[in-house]
Amino acid sequence: MKRRDFIRSAVPAAVVLPSLINGLTVRAFAHAPQIDGLSEAQIDTDKVWVLIQWNGGNDGLHTVVPIDQYDNLANARGGIILSENAILPLNGSTTVGLHPAMTGIQQLYDTGKICIVQGVSYPNPSFSHFRATDIVSTGTDSNISLNTGWVGRYLDHEFPNYPYGYPNADMPDPPAIQIGVGLPLLFQAPESNLAMSISSIDLFDQWTNGNIGTLPETPAGHELGYLRAIAQQTQQYAQRIVTASQNVTTQWSGYPSTGINALADQLKLIARLIAGGLKTRVYLVSIGGFDTHANQVSNTDPNTGQHANLLGKLSEAIFAFSSDLAFLGVGERVVGLTFSEFGRRIKANASWGTDHGTAFPMLLFGTQVQAGIVGNNPIIPAAATVSDNLAIQFDFRAVYASLLKDWFCLSETAVNSIMLNTFAALPVVQSPCCVPVVIGASNSCAGDIHTYSVAPSAGSTYIWTVTGGSILSGQGSNSITVQWDNGSEGIVSVTQSQ
Amino acid sequence: MEWHQHQFFIQNWQVAAANRDRCIEALRQHCENTAMSPLDPPSVSGWPAYYQEPLYYELLVNADVYSKRMELIEQLCQGGLSVATPYSSPSSHLLRINFVDFAQTLSNPSDPNALVEEALSRLYAYPVEQPFKDYLKTFLLSGQTADYYWTSAWGDFAANPSNSTYRAIVSARLQGMIQYMLSQSEYMLM
């Protein structure tokens, strides 16, 4: 039975009853109270994460190229191998190069804004796109299915009970925003999904201009317009987002023209939202088409073709975005992380392409990443066979865990509970990122009392040292009161430990 | 709403008979909160007529009602609508939409285009344009570029319906698509 037929046979009271959905069966489960999140205080931060997902499984060997093993790679890759002299060199490395299309990434690397993590995968990797995407989104072992995402668990830890009680004064904005393709699992928490989805930049433009989009030529076109207007009123975040974007009037001028590079268009909007004051922590954008089983390269020039076009767009978009963040003065607040569901085989196939593989290089970008390369070049056998895969060097969850700990400054206990296990931290972010900043008056008259504090972090103790004054109260906590002496200079310092 | 219509839905719930009334009552309360109380129109003359000035039938939806409906949709799709059932054990139920069950009632769920078309014809009263359909399909393909990615995932599940991993893969993608559909203004048109 069609829904409208069902409605026709019902009394008018049923007309817009969203809970009664023909064919959508509702199943009841015995209610198990969710495990309560850790009662750690929300960490006040202006740091932002931008995740770029490369859908399809990127060919890591033709992205971050092991030039010290070029001959073995050429042997395995046959006609699709990149020309040795076209591979882009990296400052300070004689063994690692980049695909010729990635000039923007090369420039960022050479100026200390890229961290490459080699050989990222997980034990018993899946070769299925959907399953592998779910694994990297949920952060689970490959033999376990989970229905929450690791970013969702992080945000749930920071913004418990979302969406109830939100937006509020501390968090007036959506915790996460994803633009483009709908990939819900990453932001899924036990009780809700913490990402606001902007299906396209067109929708954003509709909010900005207050229009309601094109209405279809159906008998209900007018009614749809009315409903969309109501929806805009109730979309509590739309106005915040529009205001943030309008706070920024000039952006870096080197972006490609709108409509040429969709990823660049989306990152340009994100740069505007970050600089415009949105408190959103995590953004997700994605670029598809990396499943290059066939025609990965052009059959006339292996340095061009499908894969080169994708890497070129990616590189151009990340370079423009990074330049814009610097232009807008917010580069220090942003770390970017790119990931794919898996890498590809060492050996090329017979269709000018490569098949599903395992480990892949992960690129992190931003002024606060620990620039350089973590890990070693993969080992390419002299005569690779179709079943040869790259060895795993780092678990993908170790990268996520390192970012949670060293970028978002979470305690180890919290990180372990979010990542569901313990992973050794990797040096992907510069170490001073989590050093506390003391806030308080910098001028005082003799005898005055002032308060000095650092952002609280649960489980931490704080040892304060004051010269030129005395601590009246608060030693051990994140906030002290100090009475200053009659000297010309006083110093407040604090050591935070867990 | 006629009570036998409620019964139509309740039949598919795995709820102990003793608890069904509570679940029905919970949904009835939500209807009341969204200005659609079953068997209880707002005035003795019934629902505001389409010719009633100045808003005509648009009176039936306002910002308050709209946001409550969105909240209910979020609950039914996400963590579940909790219903206390004190008469028997367990003491409460979570009502959630079963997305895989829904897809299994469609004629050709392995074809993402057919799935989108049929879900639209079930849930939407008026046709939508192609870009809207394309966007719905991106949930099923989760960023991949060809239809066979979904077809193969559905095929794995259909061949092994008791495999929880295969079920989780299709369920997560259907959940994204259906919650999106239910959250659009188009869904409120009847």
Side-chain angles (χ1 to χ4, degrees), chain A residues 104-122:
Chain A
I105 299 289
Q106 179 197 31
Q107 208 175 322
L108 291 173
Y109 184 93
D110 289 349
T111 50
K113 299 190 188 79
I114 295 277
C115 171
I116 298 172
V117 185
Q118 297 265 34
V120 177
S121 185
Y122 48 91

Side-chain angles (χ1 to χ4, degrees), chain B residues 48-125:
Chain B
Y50 67 91
Y51 48 78
Q52 189 164 320
E53 292 185 67
L55 277 167
Y56 306 99
Y57 44 85
E58 289 171 357
L59 276 171
L60 293 177
V61 179
N62 58 39
D64 177 56
V65 162
Y66 197 97
S67 54
K68 283 176 179 160
R69 287 180 192 174
M70 289 299 146
E71 191 180 321
L72 179 60
I73 286 167
E74 162 112 9
Q75 285 177 319
L76 288 172
C77 292
Q78 296 272 336
L81 176 67
S82 184
V83 179
T85 48
Y87 301 123
S88 64
S89 176
S91 62
S92 68
H93 280 81
L94 278 178
L95 300 183
R96 281 189 78 217
I97 293 172
N98 188 312
F99 303 99
V100 177
D101 278 5
F102 171 72
Q104 281 176 317
T105 66
L106 305 179
S107 61
N108 186 10
S110 71
D111 175 351
N113 300 301
L115 196 161
V116 166
E117 287 290 349
E118 214 174 330
L120 280 166
S121 79
R122 284 272 189 96
L123 300 173
Y124 280 18

